[in-house]
Every structure is written in C-alpha cells, then in structure tokens.
Amino acid sequence: MHDLRPPAPNAAAAHPTGADQDGAHGEDLRVAGAKAAAIAAGHLAGLADRPVWQPVPAAERAWLSDQELPEAGRPLDELLEDARTHVLPHPMGNGHPRFFGWVNSPPNPAGVLVEPLAAALNPSCAGGDHAGPHLERAVVRWLAELAGFPHPPGGGLLTSGASMATVICLAGARQRAALADGWDAREDGLSGRPPMVMYVTEEGHSCLHKAAQLLGLGTRHVRIVPVDAAYRMNVSALRAMVTEDLAAGRRPFCVAGSAGTVNSGAVDPLGEIADVAAEHGLWFHVDGAYGALGILADGAAPHYAGLDRADSLALDPHKWLGVPVGCGCALLRDPGAARAAFSLVPSYLIDDNAGELGWFAEYGPEQTRPFRALKTWATMSHLGRSGIVGLVNHTAGLARRLAAMVEEAADFELLAPVTTSITAFRHRPHDGDGLDALNRALPDAVQARGNAFLTGTRLGGRDALRACFLHPDTTERDLTVLLDEIRLAAKTLRT
Ligand SMILES: Cc1ncc(COP(=O)(O)O)c(C=O)c1O
C-alpha cells in the first residue's frame, strides 16, 4: 500500500532555488518588507530637499547596466541595500514638486503602498472570478464617471498606458468600419480595400500615428488637420478633407480629437468634431490621456462639451491622478467593438462562468494582464472625488498663474492659452535672432542645474518651453524659482 501522508519536514533539505531563498516566503520577507517600506517612505519624504534630477554618474551607470546575473541567489537584505544605494539615488525626477517635464506625475502614496500587495497576489487579470477583474470593473466605471463618459457594462479596460488604449480603440474603429462595408479586417487583412483614412491634428500625440502604423493603416492615410491660433482642430478643414477623401474613393473611418494636447494642453472643439463624425459615420476617438480629467476643474466643462459623444476615450490614470506607472484606460461607448476586434478564445481558455461580458483579455491584445486595478483603486479611494477635483484645480491654477507671470515679465512670452495644466511659453531676453536656438538649449541647461525640470517642444513653428503641473505639493513660489532658473540657465548659455 502507498503511504499517502506528506513526507516529514526535513530541515536539512535544500530549497530548490538555493539555501538563501529558504525563508523568503516567511519571516525574512516580513523583515525585509518592513525595511523596503521604510526605504520607500524615506525616499519620498526626502525628495523635495534633493536636486530634481542629476545625470547618473558613469560608475553608477556601469554598475546598473553592466552587472552579470549572479550564479547563486542573493539574500533579500542585500538586494534592498543595493536598491537603496544604487537605484533610488537616481530618479527621473517626477516625484519632485519642481518637476514640470513632459506629463509625468509623482506617485500617489496609496498607490505605492499597495504595489507589493498586487505583486504578492500576482494574479493574471485576463479574467476569471478573483479580486482583480472585479476591482477593475469598479475603477473603469469610476474613471468614466469622472470624465463624464458613458459607461455601459464592460465599457472599458485598464492598459499599460494610453498608447495601448489607443491601439485598442482604433482597432475597434477599424473593425467596425470594415464590418459595415461587408468585410472583416481580422479575417481578410487590409489589402485590396480602399485606404482607410484617419484624421488628427499636428498637435495629436505620436501614439495615434504609432497605432495607425501598427494597425496597417499607413501613415500616409493619417491626415493632418490644421489647427487654429489656440492649437485646436480647425473643423472646417476637417470637413473639407473628409469630403475630398470620399470623392477620391478613400474610406474615412475615424477622427481623433485631443482633450489636452501634450504640447500646450489644448482641448479640441469636441462637439463640432462629433458633428462631423456623425455626418460621415466616422468613429470619434478622443485622446484624453493627459487632459480628460481637466473637465473637473472649475469652469472647464464647456471646453469639454462633446466628449460624451465620442465612441472611445483614452485616459491615463498614471498621469494626472498619480497612479504609479503604468496604468492607462480605454473607454468604449460600445464595448462590443473592442471585443469584435480582439476576442479569440482558444479551447483552453473557455470559461463557462465568464458571464455576458466574458474576459478582459477578449477586449485587447494582452492575455496575461497585471493587477493594475489595485493601485488605481487605492489612489482614487485615497483621494476621493473631492481630492481629485482639488488636485486638478490646484494644478490647473498653477498653469494659469505661470501664464500670468509670463505675460507680466518683459523677458518671457506666452505661446498658447492655458486650458488644462500646461503652460507653453518661451524665454525672450531680446528681440533679435537666436530665440529658437536659445529656447531649444534651455531645457537641458535648466535640468542640469538641478533646481527645476522642464522640457521643450516646437509650437507653431517656434521652439518653446512647456511646464506641465501635476504635483499636489507644487506652490506658487516654485513658479518664481522656475522663471529665475530659466534666466540663470540662459546666462550660462550666453557665456
Ligand atoms: C496627450 C497624450 N496622449 C497620449 C500619450 C501616450 O500615453 P502613454 O505614454 O501612457 O502610452 C501621452 C503621453 O504623455 C500624452 O500626453
């Protein structure tokens, strides 16, 4: 007869991953976990007193990038020491209240707190009956409600960021247009069909172009619609371009507006774009990755009129909300459109208990999906609706205040109206030539000084500076520091 009892514990037996890993699931993890929490809290508490950013010294770069995989596993404590001494001292800078670059927020502490718990559970949120997918349903609904976007059951999913959300939304648009024309983009491919044309402005984010390329549409069929003086889509031009494409036998299928461009924070005239989309049966996508939540700022709602008429909205919780990177969200008026574009359920994934909505994995390209909902839920719950509105109002107010300071200063020039929390401007210490070169060089020079961090762009054919406000701890005093830092950096460039 077989003995079915488990074998007696044998203290001397080696753990298959190495003796040092033996306690990694028990007391060692508890002790190291407490230490990791202390390191993280210390890092966040000390950020404001350190330079915003500094280049990684050559020796540290080499330590980070050239190291070999150790033969024997290393103890947890040693790894934490390495992270403390070699990783945390070299941040990107976005935790600092004077980081104004690109669109990168500091992490919300509640989001930081729960990251280890998501890793401890380590589910795949492809679908199934466990906490992850259920919590994802709630946070996706919360995000839609905040942005004022319709939310049918199943009308969205979390993604790595807005780039992936855009791929999902545009794939839905492409398949809807193909099916309406009596063919199937997934089955048939695009070859031999009239080119499918999409419309974006020159201020539209590069992720729209990448998505179009990835979906086989071809950059040539992404029409660049001109903008008005406020960098918003010129809708008359859009209408004319659609008419021209139709006359030429092409297949206009999608127009993508922006609710908060990355350059200046402009919000396109969404209602007017929705009208054109309705007239021509176009899918109306809105890139609200950064700016959709700007709708919550006092007095901002009229700028967003028409957002609720879109077919899809990309919105990044890892931007204005401060959910730790990466967390984007694709919201869809008709969830079935994403499912039609992606659902592929092999026999080993059939789940008779999945209910009407099926699995999240049917709505996008990712199969194994991380537990993004936990950090999103924690961040949003910690802030609450009023905290989110307060954050948006505070940061939008800073952008308006900087714009006023720029307009008051003789040596600065405002380049765009402020609609969200981005101020686009440039330094103009003189009226002569060389302003483009100066403003192109300034971001690096300011960053190198370590007291503030901003990035540049080109706007209306000119080199520009842009400051994006997302940090709850940034103050008006920091705006004065920023302008002074730009002046000081400009002097170092002249000498
Ligand atoms: C307006 C806008 N759209 C899209 C994106 C792309 O988002 P992600 O980087 O999350 O993929 C960004 C990123 O900064 C953005 O600012």
Side-chain angles (χ1 to χ4, degrees):
M1 238 180 80
H2 294 296
D3 184 355
L4 294 176
R5 285 172 306 174
N10 175 359
H15 189 277
T17 62
D20 279 334
Q21 310 285 312
D22 234 355
H25 298 291
E27 192 53 25
D28 282 6
L29 184 59
R30 199 180 303 280
V31 172
K35 184 167 174 178
I39 292 174
H43 169 76
L44 292 172
L47 270 180
D49 301 324
R50 293 201 289 273
V52 185
W53 170 83
Q54 283 181 314
V56 182
E60 284 290 88
R61 236 186 257 186
W63 188 94
L64 290 161
S65 61
D66 299 349
Q67 59 188 287
E68 303 289 344
L69 173 68
E71 182 53 43
R74 299 175 59 204
L76 299 178
D77 197 56
E78 241 180 76
L79 305 181
L80 282 179
E81 273 312 311
D82 275 357
R84 196 173 60 76
T85 50
H86 296 293
V87 177
L88 288 164
H90 309 299
M92 174 179 160
N94 48 321
H96 197 288
R98 281 196 301 278
F99 182 94
F100 308 122
W102 305 293
V103 188
N104 294 101
S105 47
N108 182 279
V112 174
L113 187 71
V114 300
E115 283 276 56
L117 307 185
L121 265 177
N122 200 30
S124 165
C125 295
D129 184 17
H130 52 105
H134 296 306
L135 204 55
E136 186 161 341
R137 297 269 177 232
V139 298
V140 169
R141 174 168 48 79
W142 288 358
L143 290 165
E145 283 167 6
L146 282 177
F149 192 76
H151 186 68
L157 66 163
L158 299 180
T159 61
S160 54
S163 300
M164 184 51 76
T166 304
V167 169
I168 292 171
C169 296
L170 297 191
R174 183 187 68 168
Q175 182 69 335
R176 187 181 80 174
L179 294 176
D181 292 352
W183 56 286
D184 183 328
R186 297 177 68 182
E187 275 298 308
D188 305 329
L190 304 186
S191 118
R193 306 285 168 183
M196 299 179 97
V197 184
M198 169 172 132
Y199 304 83
V200 304
T201 74
E202 62 206 56
E203 296 298 310
H205 195 269
S206 54
C207 74
L208 292 161
H209 297 268
K210 283 193 191 176
Q213 290 165 2
L214 195 60
L215 293 168
L217 305 173
T219 298
R220 196 173 303 136
H221 303 116
V222 179
R223 293 268 181 276
I224 306 301
V225 185
V227 289
D228 63 17
Y231 301 102
R232 304 163 79 226
M233 185 181 283
N234 175 335
V235 180
S236 313
L238 167 68
R239 198 173 258 113
M241 290 166 108
V242 174
T243 308
E244 188 187 317
D245 282 323
L246 283 170
R250 293 181 279 262
R251 172 59 160 105
F253 84 107
C254 175
V255 55
S258 296
T261 61
V262 64
N263 277 342
S264 71
V267 178
D268 284 326
L270 304 175
E272 292 173 45
I273 299 174
D275 289 342
V276 177
E279 276 163 39
H280 292 287
L282 306 182
W283 179 286
F284 177 26
H285 173 71
V286 174
D287 177 6
Y290 148 61
L293 295 183
I295 195 172
L296 299 168
D298 294 342
H303 293 295
Y304 290 80
L307 176 76
D308 56 349
R309 294 170 62 195
D311 291 292
S312 56
L313 171 66
L315 187 169
D316 263 347
H318 69 197
K319 290 194 164 67
W320 221 331
L321 277 176
V323 172
V325 171
C327 188
C329 181
L331 294 169
L332 295 122
R333 171 181 297 278
D334 170 16
R339 203 172 185 182
F342 289 104
S343 179
L344 203 165
V345 185
S347 51
Y348 51 87
L349 287 176
I350 291 170
D351 175 4
D352 292 333
N353 303 313
E356 253 177 52
L357 300 179
W359 280 29
F360 277 108
E362 290 181 62
Y363 295 74
E366 285 183 309
Q367 182 58 42
T368 302
R369 301 175 70 249
F371 193 177
R372 300 180 177 110
L374 189 62
K375 59 187 174 182
T376 311
W377 165 82
T379 298
M380 295 179 79
S381 309
H382 186 55
L383 287 167
R385 193 173 205 286
S386 66
I388 295 169
V389 172
L391 174 65
V392 170
N393 265 325
H394 173 67
T395 45
L398 288 167
R400 284 197 303 272
R401 179 73 197 113
L402 180 64
M405 290 165 70
V406 160
E407 288 202 296
E408 282 158 20
D411 56 346
F412 283 98
E413 180 184 7
L414 188 66
L415 294 183
V418 173
T419 323
T420 45
S421 73
I422 293 176
T423 314
F425 62 109
R426 69 175 180 165
H427 189 31
R428 202 183 53 190
H430 54 76
D431 277 336
D433 290 340
L435 287 181
D436 272 345
L438 171 66
N439 282 280
R440 191 159 55 247
L442 270 171
D444 279 356
V446 169
Q447 290 167 21
R449 292 174 53 79
N451 295 321
F453 193 112
L454 90 166
T455 49
T457 188
R458 276 183 71 78
L459 201 55
R462 289 179 293 187
D463 281 276
L465 307 174
R466 56 179 288 295
C468 178
F469 299 96
L470 300 168
H471 203 304
D473 299 340
T474 305
T475 63
E476 272 199 42
R477 165 93 194 104
D478 294 318
L479 307 182
T480 307
V481 173
L482 172 63
L483 294 185
D484 287 346
E485 283 297 312
I486 294 170
R487 291 182 177 111
L488 290 167
K491 278 195 189 127
T492 65
L493 288 170
R494 280 200 290 274
T495 53

